[in-house]
Every structure is written in structure tokens, then in C-alpha cells.
Amino acid sequence: MKFISGPVLVQYGFATIVNLCSLIAAAWLVWPSSANIALLSGEIFPNVTASEIANMVSLMDLGTMISPIPASYLINIVGRKMVINATALMFIAASLLTVFAKAMWYIYIARLLAGMGKGIAFGVIPVYLTEIAQLNLRGTMGSLFITAVSIGTLYGYVIGASLSYQGVNIANLVVAILFLTVGWLLPETPFYLLMKGKDKEAEKNLSILRHTHRGAASVKAEMEQVTAAIESCKNGKARFIDIATSKSRRRALLIVIVTSSIQRLSGISPVLAYGPSILPPTGGGLKPDIYLVIFGVVLTVVNYLGAVLCETSGRKRLMLYSASSAGIVNFIFAVYFTLGTNGIDTSSFTWLPYLCLLLYGVTWSLGLGIMPPFLPSELYPTNVKSYASSISAIILGLTSFGVNKAFGEVYVMHGGMEAMFYFFGSCSFLFSIFCVYFVIETKGKTYQEIETILKETVGEEEIELQLEESNKL
């Protein structure tokens, strides 16, 4: 019988603690799926309009766009741990606002604060996880972030289906308080500590993460590797613009922007926020909110499988399969809604949207759901990866804001949603083409190896060799 080694258990343990932040962020993502019904019914406030609901849903994405850039600077000043733990206060404040809300503007501020916490979580946690992970676990540890997001989605759907409006708010508050309590157990990353010249503390934390004693040969060897990676970045002070100062880095930035965009442009945001409205009231054999719980289970299970497969099949292949299959499911969705809009009887096929929902959960989670957030930490060096991650988080927020706002306008206010699913399907297929020709494979490679591949794809490697030869002459 094969047991998980001590170092792996330790790293998974700290990943579990930090991903409580991911869980509560995801719970806030799906919060509208149950809250919308209570708000529109007049149960909470009188005369809440569909336009106010669309604004409320989108405000979380606005918050997601505000926080990543300040966070990208702060994590290099006060550390990854401190910035991540600060999100607990944001989520606690957001939950308290919903519990004691007297008008919709309370909800607006709560969603904005939750979005700021989500922006930090999506920008900083992938950096933290990849920096504490040993090389052969880097992909798996990065994928655990999205797996935690899926568990948070499931948690949000479960409490939404089983608790009252106030019960949901209190349940979210409890998780945020739990994270505030245990978050201080997290070790700061050795990368950050070495950047600050705290070598002894870095060695101590690395020995904890690798479950061995200080002074062990393996710890010293890894310390040397990390130090070398940091020293290679110290030619000049890192600036935000350094994410695009060469052709290879612009190639990396293009990959980050497009992969982050497609995660939301493939349709996940409105599915999470407007799930009950998308499904017909009958046809699946169960209530729509129960299917959303099943959808959350699917996301969790398939994300875990994706976390394993990304270390065997590779990141690029999974994203390609995920995008193309998600595109097919989106077009099936679109055709179904088109038939209904044109007066064609679909009563015999009301089960189809339920099946498509579950198939979409499988196809999206397998690649598009897990890869984009931690690619910046693999494509960029230590001193600028936080800036690249902030760009990723901003793009996620921007595209989610646009998609949720458009979906709210198209469906909630005007009815009909086939156009949106045709759009999601088209975006998915276009990304498949982009993936084939532009995305590079990072599985099992150090940053130095990834940088070499990026340079080769844009011809920088050849130019550098020519310059070296001319200097010798």
C-alpha cells in the first residue's frame, strides 16, 4: 500500500488552510443564485427591480477589478501571508452587511467588498501555492486552488438550497471567521523571505514545508535553487511594465490574458449567478436548486481529476479538450433555447438543459476551470509574477462583469438567452485555435526552461546567441 509522504501532507495541509479563502470567495460567487429569488419576491426589501439585481450581481466583479494591482505590490512589501489573511476581514464585513441590511445599497457594498476579497484570492493564492510547492507538485497544488473554488461553489449551492436568506449569510460569516482564526498558522513563502534577505527564516519555513530538519541537504539544495532564481531577477527593481518588456514576456502576457478571458467568456459566470433562471422549472426529475448542488459536486470531482491529469497529460492538452467540448455543449444549449424562442414545442426535451448543465460542468472543470489562475506563476519570474497574477485576476473580473451584466440585460430584462450561448460557444472554439498555436506546455518545467521555450517561439533565443557570438569576436 502506497502512503502519501510527510512533505506532501504538510503542503496539502497548508493548501487546505489558505483555500478556505478560495472557498468563501466561491460561495459569494454563487450567492445570487439563491438570494435573487428572495430579493425579487420582496421578502427582504420592497420593490427590488431586475435592473438592481443585475447591478448587484455585477458589482462583485467590479470589486475583483479593484484589488489585484494594489495586492500585487503589497505582497512584495508585507508578504503573501499578510495580504491573504486580510481578505478574511473583507468577507466578514460583507457578510455582516447582508445580515443587517436595511436597503439594497448595503448589498451593493457587501458584493463590492466580497469582490475585492475574491480579486486578492484569485491573484495571490496561486502565487502562494506555487511558491510553497515542490517542483513535481506545482501543477497539482495550483489546481487545488480551483478545486477549492469548486468546493466553495458546492457549499454555496447546498446552503442556498437548504437555508433561508439570513441562514446563508450567517453560514458565510462562520467560514470567514474560521479562516481569520486559522489563517495565521500559514508559513510565509521561502521565496518572499529570501527576497527580503531573511535567509534563516526562509530555511526554517522551507524545512517545515518539506517536513525535514533545518540543515538537511535537500533543503540547502532547494534554497540554492530559489536564491539563484531570485538573483537572476535582481538586475533591476521589478516594475509593473516588466511583464511586457520583451517579446517573450509579451507572448506570456498574451497567453495570460486570453486564458483568463476564456475562463469567463465560455459561460461559467452566468451559470453560477443565474443558474435557477437558466433551467426550466420541470424536466429534470428534481428541483433546479438540487441540480445546482449536483452541478457543484461535478465541478469539485472533475476539478480534482483535472488536478491529477494536468501532471500527466499536460496543461495545454487539457485546455484544448476542455474548450472544444465546452463549445459543443454551449451550442447545444443555444439550439434548445432557439427552438423555444421560435415557438417550436420543446416539452419533450426539457431534460436537455439539465443534461447540458452537468456536461458543461465536466467539460469546463477539466481544463478551463483549473489552468488560467496559476499560469502567470509559471510563465513569469519571481519578481514580477505577482503583477502578472494581478492582470489575470483583473481580466477574470472584467470579463465576468461584462458577461454577467450582458446576460442580466439580455435574459432577466428582455428574455431569451440563445444569443449568449452562441457567443459562449464561439469563444470556446476560437480559444481552441489559439491554444493550438500560441499556448506552450509548462508541465514539469522550471521557470528557466519555460523562459527558454518562450524565447524560442519569438526568436529571442537566436538573437541572444548571435549577440554572444558577436561579442566574442
Side-chain angles (χ1 to χ4, degrees):
M1 183 175 179
K2 186 177 180 180
F3 294 94
I4 300 176
S5 65
V8 174
L9 283 175
V10 170
Q11 290 167 71
Y12 281 0
F14 289 126
T16 300
I17 292 175
V18 76
N19 274 318
L20 283 173
C21 179
S22 311
L23 186 148
I24 190 62
W28 269 99
L29 269 175
V30 302
W31 181 84
S33 66
S34 60
N36 288 350
I37 299 171
L39 290 169
L40 285 171
S41 69
E43 173 188 338
I44 313 302
F45 316 117
N47 305 318
V48 175
T49 66
S51 178
E52 288 176 315
I53 292 294
N55 290 335
M56 177 270 291
V57 170
S58 301
L59 271 171
M60 185 169 181
D61 301 312
L62 181 61
T64 302
M65 290 184 277
I66 294 173
S67 58
I69 289 181
S72 69
Y73 284 97
L74 284 172
I75 66 172
N76 289 329
I77 298 172
V78 300
R80 282 73 162 139
K81 173 182 174 178
M82 186 72 71
V83 173
I84 291 171
N85 285 335
T87 62
L89 300 176
M90 296 179 184
F91 290 126
I92 288 172
S95 294
L96 289 173
L97 281 167
T98 57
V99 169
F100 297 105
K102 303 296 183 183
M104 275 300 290
W105 67 265
Y106 284 75
I107 308 297
Y108 288 163
I109 297 175
R111 292 284 292 173
L112 190 68
L113 283 172
M116 292 172 66
K118 171 177 168 272
I120 294 172
F122 277 62
V124 180
I125 290 178
V127 173
Y128 181 87
L129 290 172
T130 54
E131 287 187 359
I132 68 170
Q134 58 199 59
L135 183 59
N136 65 324
L137 287 180
R138 195 180 59 203
T140 302
M141 289 283 280
S143 300
L144 285 177
F145 165 69
I146 295 298
T147 301
V149 170
S150 299
I151 294 173
T153 300
L154 173 60
Y155 167 78
Y157 283 141
V158 169
I159 62 175
S162 56
L163 299 178
S164 66
Y165 169 82
Q166 287 291 27
V168 170
N169 297 331
I170 293 170
N172 285 340
L173 176 62
V174 169
V175 177
I177 292 173
L178 175 63
F179 177 55
L180 180 65
T181 304
V182 301
W184 301 103
L185 298 174
L186 296 170
E188 185 54 83
T189 73
F191 272 79
Y192 169 78
L193 294 171
L194 285 171
M195 284 173 62
K196 292 297 182 180
K198 301 178 180 180
D199 294 20
K200 290 185 178 180
E201 192 175 347
E203 185 178 1
K204 174 186 173 184
N205 285 10
L206 187 58
S207 64
I208 293 172
L209 290 165
R210 300 300 177 260
H211 195 58
T212 187
H213 60 87
R214 294 176 67 174
S218 58
V219 170
K220 289 188 177 295
E222 190 168 352
M223 284 279 290
E224 290 174 1
Q225 291 174 1
V226 176
T227 301
I230 292 172
E231 288 299 323
S232 68
C233 302
K234 283 188 175 179
N235 294 329
K237 187 178 179 180
R239 303 163 299 167
F240 202 96
I241 197 174
D242 288 339
I243 61 175
T245 50
S246 65
K247 285 185 178 180
S248 57
R249 290 193 178 180
R250 287 192 288 273
R251 175 69 170 259
L253 182 61
L254 177 64
I255 294 171
V256 167
I257 290 173
V258 175
T259 54
S260 298
S261 298
I262 194 58
Q263 191 189 71
R264 299 294 156 174
L265 292 177
S266 56
I268 190 63
S269 293
V271 170
L272 294 175
Y274 296 101
S277 302
I278 294 172
L279 298 171
T282 60
L286 299 170
K287 293 191 299 183
D289 57 354
I290 300 301
Y291 265 94
L292 290 175
V293 172
I294 298 172
F295 178 68
V297 173
V298 169
L299 292 182
T300 303
V301 172
V302 179
N303 270 330
Y304 176 77
L305 293 176
V308 175
L309 288 173
C310 76
E311 294 296 351
T312 55
S313 299
R315 286 80 153 130
K316 180 174 180 175
R317 182 179 297 178
L318 278 186
M319 283 195 289
L320 178 60
Y321 290 164
S322 176
S324 55
S325 53
I328 293 171
V329 175
N330 272 316
F331 273 111
I332 295 173
F333 253 131
V335 170
Y336 173 84
F337 291 122
T338 299
L339 293 176
T341 301
N342 287 283
I344 299 174
D345 182 17
T346 58
S347 58
S348 301
F349 302 98
T350 51
W351 52 267
L352 187 59
Y354 290 90
L355 176 62
C356 284
L357 176 73
L358 300 183
L359 288 176
Y360 179 77
V362 172
T363 58
W364 183 85
S365 300
L366 193 61
L368 295 181
I370 62 176
M371 301 304 170
F374 72 89
L375 275 180
S377 295
E378 294 196 320
L379 295 173
Y380 280 95
T382 302
N383 62 337
V384 295
K385 67 172 67 172
S386 61
Y387 302 143
S389 290
S390 72
I391 291 293
S392 175
I394 289 170
I395 294 298
L396 284 169
L398 181 63
T399 50
S400 187
F401 177 86
V403 167
N404 276 333
K405 186 66 175 173
F407 195 91
E409 295 285 339
V410 170
Y411 175 69
V412 177
M413 298 177 68
H414 301 294
M417 59 182 114
E418 60 274 8
M420 293 303 300
F421 282 99
Y422 281 124
F423 173 75
F424 299 148
S426 298
C427 289
S428 299
F429 284 128
L430 287 173
F431 176 75
S432 299
I433 298 171
F434 175 88
C435 189
V436 170
Y437 292 102
F438 288 93
V439 176
I440 67 168
E441 183 55 70
T442 60
K443 175 178 74 77
K445 295 180 175 65
T446 64
Y447 170 69
Q448 286 76 15
E449 292 170 332
I450 293 169
E451 184 181 37
T452 299
I453 295 171
L454 284 168
K455 288 181 176 181
E456 288 174 350
T457 58
V458 296
E460 280 186 10
E461 190 76 11
E462 183 178 346
I463 293 172
E464 288 179 359
L465 289 173
Q466 289 175 354
L467 287 172
E468 287 180 9
E469 290 296 327
S470 62
N471 288 334
K472 289 178 182 179
L473 295 175

